[in-house]
Amino acid sequence: RFNMNGQGVMQTWEDVYMAERVYTQCLGISKRIYQTHAYTHEPERKLAYFILEEHNERSSWILPGFDFYVLVFCYYNDNKEVTAVDVQYDQMSFFLHCMGLAQAHAWFVEHVITRIAITWAKAFHMTGLVNPFTFTLQLILFPALLMYCWGVMST
């Protein structure tokens, strides 16, 4: 069993290798270099896990190469045979890299979203009403107010 981020489970290694070959070709990946970090073994749980760093070079000059990090959990049986592999990764980051948009997204988050978030946090803190209830209330009321102001939602 090979679990891809809880989104898809493949039952055979042949399926895993076939999926890797196809998406490698689709994404124009010409070369991959793997490196492992932080290997941990928990014999009582029959589990080994590590961080897999994947460096991807692209065959097209239009799409930039990218580095990607994956957390890999390997479960095994009493005979030390791998019985399941769970792979966890940041899907949004992966797809932004695949589309060549990761750098633009990082710039936008750093220069626009972070500034808005810091301004909001300072204003929220100054109210003295920082708690889960008021935060949740903001998550409901702020989008509703925006939709009302933009005319999407009427009274």
Side-chain angles (χ1 to χ4, degrees):
R1 183 176 63 85
F2 190 86
N3 184 347
M4 290 294 292
N5 229 29
Q7 304 297 314
V9 177
M10 295 179 230
Q11 300 300 326
T12 68
W13 285 109
E14 290 78 21
D15 289 343
V16 173
Y17 298 138
M18 183 271 308
E20 282 278 321
R21 277 192 305 275
V22 170
Y23 97 76
T24 296
Q25 290 175 331
C26 289
L27 298 177
I29 296 172
S30 59
K31 183 178 182 181
R32 279 199 173 121
I33 300 170
Y34 294 106
Q35 190 173 18
T36 59
H37 306 278
Y39 177 81
T40 304
H41 184 217
E42 296 183 21
E44 65 283 354
R45 294 178 58 196
K46 296 181 182 154
L47 167 66
Y49 54 97
F50 56 92
I51 298 169
L52 178 66
E53 179 182 359
E54 180 180 302
H55 174 74
N56 296 279
E57 295 178 6
R58 310 291 276 280
S59 56
S60 171
W61 62 271
I62 297 171
L63 296 172
F66 62 93
D67 292 333
F68 196 70
Y69 298 91
V70 179
L71 188 55
V72 180
F73 297 88
C74 299
Y75 299 89
Y76 57 90
N77 61 20
D78 291 330
N79 296 328
K80 307 280 192 252
E81 299 166 329
V82 175
T83 58
V85 177
D86 289 336
V87 177
Q88 300 294 317
Y89 60 96
D90 175 7
Q91 287 179 317
M92 186 176 107
S93 174
F94 178 74
F95 288 114
L96 286 171
H97 278 297
C98 293
M99 301 295 291
L101 299 174
Q103 293 84 352
H105 178 263
W107 181 92
F108 184 74
V109 169
E110 179 182 350
H111 293 92
V112 178
I113 300 296
T114 300
R115 290 181 181 165
I116 292 169
I118 289 171
T119 302
W120 165 83
K122 288 177 180 177
F124 188 35
H125 185 263
M126 287 185 343
T127 68
L129 300 172
V130 179
N131 62 58
F133 175 74
T134 57
F135 178 70
T136 304
L137 192 60
Q138 286 182 60
L139 293 177
I140 296 167
L141 293 179
F142 187 69
L145 181 63
L146 283 177
M147 290 188 327
Y148 177 76
C149 290
W150 288 336
V152 176
M153 191 170 79
S154 59
T155 54

